[in-house]
Amino acid sequence: MLFSYDADVLPQVRLIGRIRYTEPWIHFYRVIDEYILYVIRNGEMYLKEGNMRYTLKKGDMFLLEPNLPHEGYQRAVCDYYYVHFKHSALKNISQEEEKKALQDLSEKRMISLASFNLDSGNVTDSLTCLPKLFSLPNQEFQTTLKQAIDIYNKREEHYKRIVSTQLHLFLLQAAHEHLMNSGTGQNPPHIRKSETVAEKILRYLNCNYSQKINSSLIEKQFEVNFDYINRIFSELTGNTIFSYLNSLRIEHAKELLATTSLPFGDIGYLVGIDDRYYFTKQFKKYTGMTPTEYFEHIHRMKKDREFQSWVHYRKQEVSPT
């Protein structure tokens, strides 16, 4: 079972903590009007929610839903974290919608990977999917909850807001891991091995765009045929590898032109294009302007904004009180 989770909405944590039962224990009967997250550190927990029975084991996370009765059905030793919270944009997804929801998330993931990270705002909508029951891949996830408990117990200013942010981080990480593990292997079932390699190349370009990159390097680094992987990359992103690389370089060049007074040749070098003539040619291809024209345009706009701000300030200064 999956939940739709709006990442623009922060959960509201009421209670968080850790419980260790060293003797066999059975969960009491309860109906409560909030979500409860359980993360099992060690041992087992046997829970019945509504008519469904669940066996929670070490590393499992589990979401109990509001207003559904739950209780234990078998005694066990258990060590677990718990979080009681409310969220105004968390709701069930039907089984018929689950496959499409995961496909949509995979597509959004690719859009995000191919986006320019200095742009303001988010490139995709805020919806993601949370699993009701999921085995977390490692113990590092629990560090986030441990930190949240420490903050909660100190009760310093804004502690519940900070704890809610920590839970938000935990849930988004869990949503990502679930997406990557939904199916066989480490990727969603509809992602081919070649698409995984294309994603790795995309991440490599994002991190190393300023370096010298050619087809031979790609083939050696990722052990693939360049023409084949270039075709897969193009299918996923809508750009060939070098078209994407050049657009990435030009986006970073635009940022440097807007925020520095560096010579254009230095800017080209910093983004991975040594040849000034080629840099100018590529810049005009992707922006419709030469670097000089773009520099003048962006700084003219900046001066206009500063002037308008000054006019607004002067109007306020001379207005009658």
Side-chain angles (χ1 to χ4, degrees), residues 107 110-111 114 190 192 194-195 198 227-241:
E107 291 171 7
M110 285 306 306
I111 293 171
H190 46 280
R192 296 171 289 171
S194 57
E195 292 175 340
D227 291 337
Y228 172 72
I229 203 64
N230 193 37
R231 188 165 63 252
I232 301 299
F233 188 96
S234 183
E235 290 174 3
L236 288 174
T237 67
N239 291 286
T240 64
I241 289 174

Side-chain angles (χ1 to χ4, degrees), residues 273-289:
I273 304 176
D274 293 344
D275 186 315
R276 178 165 178 168
Y277 172 76
Y278 184 70
F279 171 63
T280 300
K281 181 180 178 181
Q282 290 299 310
F283 195 95
K284 188 166 185 177
K285 175 182 177 181
Y286 285 93
T287 67
M289 292 182 276

Side-chain angles (χ1 to χ4, degrees), residues 179-226:
L179 173 65
M180 297 307 294
N181 286 277
S182 56
T184 58
Q186 295 299 309
N187 300 287
H190 46 280
I191 292 184
R192 296 171 289 171
K193 183 178 179 180
S194 57
E195 292 175 340
T196 303
V197 175
E199 284 190 20
K200 290 179 180 178
I201 293 172
L202 184 62
R203 288 194 292 271
Y204 179 82
L205 298 178
N206 287 338
C207 295
N208 298 279
Y209 65 90
S210 63
Q211 306 300 313
K212 292 186 182 297
I213 298 173
N214 54 39
S215 57
S216 297
L217 184 145
I218 295 292
E219 288 186 330
K220 182 178 180 181
Q221 186 86 6
F222 297 95
E223 299 179 344
V224 289
N225 174 272
F226 180 80

Side-chain angles (χ1 to χ4, degrees), residues 27 30 36-39 47 60-62 64 80-82:
H27 201 294
R30 175 173 55 184
I36 303 175
L37 170 70
Y38 285 146
V39 176
L47 269 179
D60 283 351
M61 63 161 276
F62 182 71
L64 283 165
Y80 64 97
Y81 294 117
Y82 62 89

Side-chain angles (χ1 to χ4, degrees), residues 130-308:
L130 280 174
K132 183 176 182 66
L133 173 61
F134 180 55
S135 181
L136 298 169
N138 55 61
Q139 294 284 79
E140 291 178 11
F141 275 80
Q142 298 182 18
T143 302
T144 304
L145 295 181
K146 184 179 183 302
Q147 291 171 344
I149 292 169
D150 291 341
I151 294 166
Y152 183 86
N153 289 334
K154 288 179 180 177
R155 301 190 184 186
E156 295 179 342
E157 70 277 11
H158 301 301
Y159 74 98
K160 283 196 175 181
R161 291 184 179 91
I162 298 172
V163 168
S164 294
T165 303
Q166 291 286 101
L167 174 62
H168 190 51
L169 172 62
F170 175 89
L171 293 176
L172 290 179
Q173 289 173 330
H176 172 73
E177 288 298 325
H178 176 262
L179 173 65
M180 297 307 294
N181 286 277
S182 56
T184 58
Q186 295 299 309
N187 300 287
H190 46 280
I191 292 184
R192 296 171 289 171
K193 183 178 179 180
S194 57
E195 292 175 340
T196 303
V197 175
E199 284 190 20
K200 290 179 180 178
I201 293 172
L202 184 62
R203 288 194 292 271
Y204 179 82
L205 298 178
N206 287 338
C207 295
N208 298 279
Y209 65 90
S210 63
Q211 306 300 313
K212 292 186 182 297
I213 298 173
N214 54 39
S215 57
S216 297
L217 184 145
I218 295 292
E219 288 186 330
K220 182 178 180 181
Q221 186 86 6
F222 297 95
E223 299 179 344
V224 289
N225 174 272
F226 180 80
D227 291 337
Y228 172 72
I229 203 64
N230 193 37
R231 188 165 63 252
I232 301 299
F233 188 96
S234 183
E235 290 174 3
L236 288 174
T237 67
N239 291 286
T240 64
I241 289 174
F242 290 118
S243 176
Y244 176 78
L245 176 60
N246 282 329
S247 67
L248 187 64
R249 286 169 167 170
I250 298 306
E251 287 297 326
H252 280 279
K254 286 166 61 180
E255 180 72 14
L256 289 172
L257 284 166
T259 58
T260 75
S261 297
L262 289 169
F264 299 156
D266 290 354
I267 289 176
Y269 173 79
L270 288 172
V271 300
I273 304 176
D274 293 344
D275 186 315
R276 178 165 178 168
Y277 172 76
Y278 184 70
F279 171 63
T280 300
K281 181 180 178 181
Q282 290 299 310
F283 195 95
K284 188 166 185 177
K285 175 182 177 181
Y286 285 93
T287 67
M289 292 182 276
T290 66
T292 301
E293 290 169 342
Y294 183 82
F295 179 85
E296 292 173 349
H297 168 72
I298 205 73
H299 285 275
R300 185 167 56 248
M301 289 178 59
K302 183 179 179 181
K303 287 180 180 179
D304 288 344
R305 286 195 299 269
E306 290 173 350
F307 177 73
Q308 292 300 325

